[in-house]
Amino acid sequence: MKIPVLFWGAITTMLLVTVTIMVSMNMPFNWVFYLTCIGQVLVGVMVYKVLTDNYTTDKTFKHFYEDRPINYR
């Protein structure tokens, strides 16, 4: 089963937001430290997964942004 790339981004984001909340609530240092280390590993895994994902598109720079296309005259 292939895990989608967005899953890795969501897990990493949730973990690092959790670390931020834990710091603001003065949780024990060792919990925050270990979760931060795990978060750094997940960032590396996420970057690797994004860069090695087999994603192709037929869009070019001519299409610019899909939500706001440029009207050529």
Side-chain angles (χ1 to χ4, degrees):
M1 181 175 105
K2 183 180 179 205
I3 299 175
V5 174
L6 289 178
F7 171 79
W8 292 105
I11 292 297
T12 304
T13 302
M14 286 190 302
L15 179 82
L16 295 178
V17 167
T18 303
V19 167
T20 304
I21 292 169
M22 289 174 69
V23 167
S24 68
M25 294 177 62
N26 292 327
M27 297 291 278
F29 175 77
N30 57 346
W31 287 25
V32 174
F33 176 74
Y34 292 130
L35 281 180
T36 302
C37 292
I38 293 170
Q40 290 176 351
V41 170
L42 282 177
V43 167
V45 169
M46 180 185 64
V47 168
Y48 174 77
K49 294 290 186 180
V50 167
L51 292 177
T52 60
D53 188 35
N54 190 15
Y55 176 79
T56 57
T57 182
D58 58 350
K59 303 288 185 199
T60 63
F61 286 107
K62 183 179 176 185
H63 294 102
F64 201 58
Y65 294 106
E66 290 182 357
D67 61 342
R68 189 171 162 203
I70 298 174
N71 294 329
Y72 291 104
R73 295 180 196 202

